[in-house]
Amino acid sequence: QVQLVESGGGLVQAGGSLSLSCAASGGTFSSYAMGWFRQAPGKDREFVAAIARTGGTTSYPDSVKGRFTISRDNAKNTLYLQMNSLKPEDTAVYYCAAQSTGRWIPSRVTLYAYWGQGTQVTVSS
């Protein structure tokens, strides 16, 4: 029901920054809690950040806490991820995803029903 398109990935040196965007179309953007996930080759999809439907409440794993910031602009139907102090281990394909069912459980990947195509983030050492 909702289409998600990520952008902003690229190659950056360790310690640098990148800003990712996720443009949503279809559905009602504000009805979805949103998340960012990443997947490196040979690994499972990993939770990166999540934000409540109206913003304000966010969630991060320890691996990115203090470095990454998730935000949303419901008027623009857009989700953002600001990534600072990037490390080589942050290298992955980054996906945005939408969750609309039940209680918001930020890190539960199986609750996100809609996914973007992903954008590659590569951090060189």
Side-chain angles (χ1 to χ4, degrees):
Q1 293 296 103
V2 61
Q3 295 183 359
L4 305 172
V5 180
E6 302 94 336
S7 62
L11 175 64
V12 65
Q13 290 184 318
S17 298
L18 279 176
S19 295
L20 305 184
S21 297
C22 173
S25 60
T28 302
F29 182 65
S30 61
S31 71
Y32 298 98
M34 299 295 297
W36 287 98
F37 295 79
R38 65 189 183 189
Q39 189 165 23
K43 294 187 176 182
D44 291 334
R45 197 156 294 189
E46 176 188 14
F47 171 66
V48 174
I51 188 167
R53 292 171 175 83
T54 58
T57 302
T58 58
S59 180
Y60 307 91
D62 289 342
S63 59
V64 308
K65 192 174 298 181
R67 299 189 297 121
F68 291 9
T69 302
I70 188 172
S71 61
R72 67 190 296 163
D73 187 337
N74 285 349
K76 296 182 177 180
N77 294 339
T78 304
L79 177 74
Y80 305 96
L81 183 68
Q82 177 65 46
M83 303 185 293
N84 298 323
S85 301
L86 284 162
K87 305 174 181 179
E89 52 263 44
D90 295 319
T91 295
V93 176
Y94 283 69
Y95 300 88
C96 67
Q99 175 184 315
S100 64
T101 58
R103 179 183 177 90
W104 181 46
I105 306 174
S107 64
R108 190 166 294 179
V109 64
T110 57
L111 267 55
Y112 291 83
Y114 306 103
W115 295 83
Q117 83 289 348
T119 185
Q120 176 70 49
V121 172
T122 303
V123 184
S124 65
S125 59

